[in-house]
Amino acid sequence: SQPKKPICSPSRAAGRALMDSVLPAMSNEEVEVLKKADGKRWKHAACEDGWVRAHSALRSDMAQLASGFHACIQQLEAGKELKPWQISNVQTFWLLFAHHMHHHHDNEERFVFPCISKLATLPPKFSDDHVTLVKAQDEIGALVKNLTADEKDAHLVMFIELKTKMAFFMQSMDANFVEEEETGLILLRKV
């Protein structure tokens, strides 16, 4: 089957195109100036912003989850069953991650996006993407929740599905993060 396209466009060029539709008068040079610390209003560069740091932490958590799913697949393919504590650890890590991700999106929707919207036109795509991303996250969460220690024969199939869905989710989330970092953060710094 054809690989799914990520929910959000993954390219920085697409992020720039989105920004151009919002702030068409900004040159690349103006964008680069806004990304730097000016020592006055912005004491830190855009890449050190709390919004970017939150995205980086979530990217790291997703990579750890994907690595854990892969390790479970390798163990199962080697003919070794997963122990109940391994299933429990996967479920616990997922619940913690899902809580942080939902909180992150909620924070953007309740505080960040309205703040930017008071000062500049924020693309509706930002909020629209969250609805789809949360749905994809919840699909993974349902699979993780349904993992049980007594369904050993189904583990390999389930973890392969988790790995596939997680790869798609990570690609989509990263594209969303890039759009927010390359457009939303610049809008915030512009105003």
Side-chain angles (χ1 to χ4, degrees), residues 23-48:
L23 293 172
M26 285 186 69
S27 69
N28 286 336
E29 293 78 23
E30 289 173 296
V31 170
E32 291 308 312
V33 166
L34 288 171
K35 288 182 178 181
K36 295 178 181 169
D38 64 8
K40 298 173 192 147
R41 185 165 179 209
W42 300 105
K43 308 263 186 248
H44 57 278
C47 64
E48 297 171 348

Side-chain angles (χ1 to χ4, degrees), residues 131-159:
V131 172
T132 309
L133 292 166
V134 167
K135 182 180 176 215
Q137 177 183 326
D138 290 345
E139 287 176 11
I140 297 170
L143 284 172
V144 171
K145 183 179 179 181
N146 288 330
L147 288 170
T148 59
D150 56 341
E151 291 186 17
K152 294 173 176 54
D153 294 337
H155 284 167
L156 182 58
V157 171
M158 291 178 85
F159 273 99

Side-chain angles (χ1 to χ4, degrees), residues 11-12 28 32 62 78 89-90 96 121 136 150 155-156 163 174 185:
S11 72
R12 294 197 185 273
N28 286 336
E32 291 308 312
M62 288 186 293
N89 282 359
V90 166
L96 292 169
T121 303
D150 56 341
H155 284 167
L156 182 58
K163 182 180 174 187
D174 189 57
L185 186 54

